[in-house]
């Protein structure tokens, strides 16, 4: 089975702190994604990557950046956290073979609370 | 641009009753449609995917969904609910181009009454 692992289940940070959210997948997938999940809003795409060192903005990239130095690892960076970034963050991956709308495999999420 | 609307943020049914979760889509081109499920404290997993091979799509755990172009709907059903079906369900849409991203709906939380 594909495994997508997110480094932390819960994080509590203070406003202005820098946060790294790490995601690792073990199935050699080319595509990786970061979403945030908020009640009543569903999942919104922050950034995605279709290859090492490649990244594309999603629908809500403001306040976030990403890094993909190795194929299996995709990091989400919050340079200076704000309270409106309190959310559940979900990482996902998929194989390239059919494109970005191939079946997504998700990690179990990181609940970030910014105080 | 594509979008999906899930009708009802919370649905409650009795164990053994029919489950019906509603999803309407908006797309200027024939879409791909998905249902994902999220169990408590887990990530999402794919239930089923419509790609136009058949309008009735069968998924895992006894769920199925029917694509109705005339109604722009893709409702999810299960004949008999089980306690283990309690979860949040997300409808999603994408274009058919390989560059099309998946757009998720707002989700419907399904509760099962004993």
């Amino acid at each position: 089975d594909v495994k997508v692992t997110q480094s932390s289940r819960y994080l509590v940070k203070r406003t202005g702190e820098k946060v790294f959210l790490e995601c690792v997948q073990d199935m050699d997938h080319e595509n990786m994604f970061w979403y945030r999940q908020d009640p009543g809003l569903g999942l919104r795409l922050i950034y995605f990557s279709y290859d090492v060192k490649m990244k594309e903005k999603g629908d809500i990239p403001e306040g976030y950046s990403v890094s993909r130095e190795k194929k299996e690892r995709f990091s989400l960076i919050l340079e200076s956290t704000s309270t409106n970034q309190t959310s559940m963050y979900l990482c996902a991956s998929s194989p390239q073979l059919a494109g970005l709308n191939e079946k997504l495999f998700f990690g179990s999420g990181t609940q970030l609370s910014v105080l | 641009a594509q979008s999906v609307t899930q009708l009802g943020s919370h649905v409650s049914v009795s164990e053994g009753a029919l489950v019906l979760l509603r999803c309407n889509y908006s797309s200027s081109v024939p879409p791909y449609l998905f249902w994902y499920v999220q169990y408590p404290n887990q990530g999402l997993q794919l239930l089923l995917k419509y790609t136009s091979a058949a309008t009735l799509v069968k998924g895992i755990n006894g769920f199925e969904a029917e694509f109705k172009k005339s109604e722009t709907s893709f409702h999810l059903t299960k004949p008999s609910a089980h306690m283990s079906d309690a979860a949040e369900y997300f409808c999603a849409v994408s274009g058919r181009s390989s560059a099309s991203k998946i757009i998720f709906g707002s989700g419907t939380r399904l509760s099962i009454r004993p």
Side-chain angles (χ1 to χ4, degrees):
Chain A
D1 275 355
V2 175
K3 192 163 186 183
V4 179
T5 304
Q6 294 185 231
S7 54
S8 304
R9 182 75 181 100
Y10 299 98
L11 276 178
V12 180
K13 296 292 179 181
R14 296 198 179 276
T15 303
E17 287 190 273
K18 187 171 185 176
V19 176
F20 289 87
L21 301 183
E22 303 284 342
C23 175
V24 177
Q25 50 94 5
D26 66 358
M27 279 300 291
D28 202 37
H29 286 170
E30 289 80 9
N31 302 325
M32 295 190 75
F33 306 80
W34 275 106
Y35 290 88
R36 63 177 282 175
Q37 180 182 6
D38 299 289
L41 296 178
L43 277 71
R44 292 178 291 168
L45 182 63
I46 305 171
Y47 267 96
F48 66 99
S49 168
Y50 51 88
D51 202 352
V52 175
K53 297 192 185 294
M54 305 302 290
K55 58 186 179 184
E56 295 279 347
K57 293 179 179 179
D59 301 316
I60 52 163
E62 296 77 19
Y64 304 94
S65 62
V66 291
S67 172
R68 192 159 181 208
E69 296 295 319
K70 293 184 178 182
K71 190 175 185 180
E72 67 271 18
R73 188 180 297 270
F74 192 37
S75 303
L76 180 68
I77 304 158
L78 291 72
E79 289 286 345
S80 178
T81 52
S82 61
T83 54
N84 62 13
Q85 292 179 311
T86 291
S87 186
M88 171 68 78
Y89 290 88
L90 291 170
C91 176
S93 71
S94 69
Q96 183 108 73
L97 44 88
L100 296 175
N101 51 13
E102 187 59 40
K103 172 184 175 181
L104 295 174
F105 294 84
F106 282 86
S108 54
T110 296
Q111 177 63 52
L112 174 65
S113 298
V114 183
L115 307 178
Chain B
Q2 283 122 355
S3 65
V4 288
T5 301
Q6 293 186 241
L7 303 173
S9 59
H10 184 212
V11 170
S12 180
V13 302
S14 298
E15 192 174 17
L18 171 72
V19 174
L20 171 60
L21 304 182
R22 298 176 188 274
C23 173
N24 287 90
Y25 70 90
S26 173
S27 178
S28 57
V29 296
Y32 288 161
L33 291 160
F34 309 79
W35 276 100
Y36 279 82
V37 60
Q38 184 180 33
Y39 297 105
N41 298 314
Q42 295 185 27
L44 282 70
Q45 62 185 84
L46 182 67
L47 267 180
L48 49 83
K49 177 181 178 181
Y50 166 76
T51 59
S52 83
T55 56
L56 183 63
V57 183
K58 293 187 184 298
I60 60 172
N61 301 337
F63 283 93
E64 61 183 35
E66 187 173 8
F67 173 72
K68 291 188 176 180
K69 185 178 178 181
S70 61
E71 299 176 8
T72 61
S73 69
F74 190 59
H75 301 332
L76 182 70
T77 60
K78 181 175 181 177
S80 177
H82 193 272
M83 296 300 291
S84 61
D85 295 326
E88 186 145 23
Y89 292 79
F90 293 91
C91 182
V93 65
S94 79
R96 290 171 179 269
S97 156
S98 62
S100 295
K101 300 183 291 292
I102 298 175
I103 308 297
F104 287 86
S106 56
T108 297
R109 181 165 300 280
L110 176 64
S111 300
I112 311 296
R113 301 187 300 271

